Amino acid sequence: MAALAAASVASCASTADMAALRESPSYSMGYGDGCLTATEEDKSFSTKQERDAYAFKNDEAYRAGWRHGYLECSTQTPEAKDGGRILGERNEY
């Protein structure tokens, strides 16, 4: 029972964190860059990646936006729960 309560509190925290990140202007910039990268990857032989390396490393909002934009705009099918990838809880992108 305690594990269920802890899991529900953790999911609320990540939802609140994501909402706060989306308010940041750098989230929007990251989203656009991630979406552009995914769109370019759909083209044959394109290796163009649009990403501000400094912001991706140091700005959580930019990083979350980039990952979200990449997932939304790519042709790959995202998992039902991809919030972990957007917030960087999985070692991808």
Side-chain angles (χ1 to χ4, degrees), residues 1-92:
M1 195 72 160
L4 180 60
S8 66
V9 168
S11 68
C12 291
S14 64
T15 302
D17 291 344
M18 194 63 195
L21 289 175
R22 286 184 177 172
E23 297 296 319
S24 171
S26 60
Y27 178 91
S28 296
M29 289 178 9
Y31 185 95
D33 288 350
C35 186
L36 180 62
T37 298
T39 304
E40 283 295 320
E41 283 183 359
D42 287 343
K43 297 177 183 175
S44 295
F45 305 108
S46 178
T47 58
K48 181 179 179 185
Q49 182 181 55
E50 186 68 34
R51 181 162 80 182
D52 182 330
Y54 180 81
F56 190 83
K57 182 178 179 183
N58 298 301
D59 185 347
E60 185 179 7
Y62 179 89
R63 187 171 46 250
W66 192 94
R67 289 177 171 148
H68 192 202
Y70 183 86
L71 288 171
E72 287 287 318
C73 295
S74 90
T75 58
Q76 64 184 345
T77 305
E79 296 177 15
K81 288 189 90 172
D82 60 5
R85 287 196 284 179
I86 293 170
L87 292 173
E89 294 167 3
R90 296 186 200 163
N91 213 6
E92 299 178 15

